[in-house]
Amino acid sequence: MARRPPLPEKLRERARSSLHPIVYLSDQGKLLVRLLPSDDEPDEFYLRRVSSLREQGVGADVLGSLPRIDPQIQRKHAVEEIKTFILHNLDLLADSFISLGEQFLAAAEDADPERLEALAAQGAPVNYHDPRNGLTALHYVAAQGARRAFRALLRIGGLDFLARDDQGRLASEMAGAYGRNLAMERLLFRKEIQQAREKGIPLEQLYQRDTAHRPTTPPNP
């Protein structure tokens, strides 16, 4: 089983930033974002809104842990206290996705189809980019020409076939250059073209690469 070293804080912050869209779309993330103070919202109104949500039992697991505000504390201080708490919890939520993402990449490095599918069922972000090098699970699997793991990823679905690593490489390039799997490379080419057309991306833009300067570093962290 692949052992992935712990992420230093700088790389963890990079991973959090890349996962913000997923975090904000999760149920708990939506609630936390809803609770963030708005610049055009009076402090008194904002505190009343938080209090009202707590009374309604909306997101009790989150609201129940919000700091209790002493009536004597100035409103501005109370708002900043809650804002800090919410942002911290958004980071904790992102960290939970990072943990699943790291496990998903480890399963991809091991080319383990059962673990990939099990982790996806737990909500692992299938397009999680390795903050060390930008590789996704699809890159790791393609670089090994691992057919069973590749089929598992296709079954899981939701793949970003246009994802590039830090060197600008697509998964199809990994399948050809390192996986030595022509069939996988061709299928990935077709998937990339289909996805590019769906997103309105010109194909000349997708494959406009200076081959004389194409990176040749193998996909290792």
Side-chain angles (χ1 to χ4, degrees):
M1 183 181 298
R3 290 181 176 273
R4 300 183 64 77
L7 289 173
E9 188 55 36
K10 186 175 181 179
L11 290 182
R12 181 168 289 276
E13 188 55 42
R14 180 187 182 191
R16 286 191 192 114
S17 298
S18 72
L19 288 170
H20 278 163
I22 296 175
V23 170
Y24 295 155
L25 288 174
S26 67
D27 290 340
Q28 189 174 5
K30 285 178 182 176
L31 175 62
L32 287 167
V33 171
R34 182 183 175 191
L35 289 174
L36 279 173
S38 170
D39 291 338
D40 57 358
E41 191 173 68
D43 294 344
E44 183 177 359
F45 178 81
Y46 166 71
L47 291 173
R48 215 166 40 237
R49 174 163 61 87
V50 172
S51 176
S52 172
L53 286 171
R54 180 184 272 140
E55 289 170 6
Q56 294 172 40
V58 177
D61 56 331
V62 176
L63 292 172
S65 54
L66 282 173
R68 294 290 175 177
I69 306 301
D70 188 316
Q72 303 301 317
I73 299 178
Q74 291 184 352
R75 288 194 180 96
K76 190 67 179 177
H77 178 74
V79 170
E80 289 304 314
E81 185 180 348
I82 293 176
K83 183 177 181 180
T84 299
F85 174 85
I86 292 169
L87 291 174
H88 174 66
N89 274 269
L90 281 168
D91 278 347
L92 291 179
L93 186 56
D95 284 343
S96 69
F97 282 108
I98 290 172
S99 175
L100 282 170
E102 288 289 308
Q103 293 176 62
F104 198 71
L105 291 183
E109 287 182 282
D110 288 339
D112 186 330
E114 288 78 18
R115 273 169 57 212
L116 286 169
E117 291 187 297
L119 287 163
Q122 294 175 41
V126 298
N127 296 308
Y128 174 74
H129 284 259
D130 191 331
R132 304 164 185 82
N133 49 34
L135 295 167
T136 65
L138 187 60
H139 283 87
Y140 279 116
V141 167
Q144 300 172 72
R147 296 176 184 177
R148 291 183 62 236
F150 181 59
R151 287 196 291 270
L153 289 177
L154 293 178
R155 284 194 298 271
I156 290 167
L159 298 173
D160 181 3
F161 294 101
L162 305 180
R164 296 182 185 272
D165 70 355
D166 289 350
Q167 298 187 53
R169 297 173 297 189
L170 295 163
S172 61
E173 296 177 72
M174 312 302 278
Y178 305 111
R180 306 296 181 187
N181 189 319
L182 183 59
M184 187 181 295
E185 181 184 20
R186 286 176 174 170
L187 177 56
L188 284 168
F189 269 134
R190 291 199 295 272
K191 294 286 189 181
E192 289 161 5
I193 289 170
Q194 179 184 351
Q195 203 164 69
R197 284 174 173 161
E198 289 171 354
K199 294 184 176 183
I201 299 173
L203 297 186
E204 59 270 21
Q205 177 182 328
L206 181 63
Y207 294 113
Q208 191 173 28
R209 300 285 303 279
D210 183 349
T211 54
H213 296 90
R214 178 171 295 187
T216 57
T217 305
N220 292 321

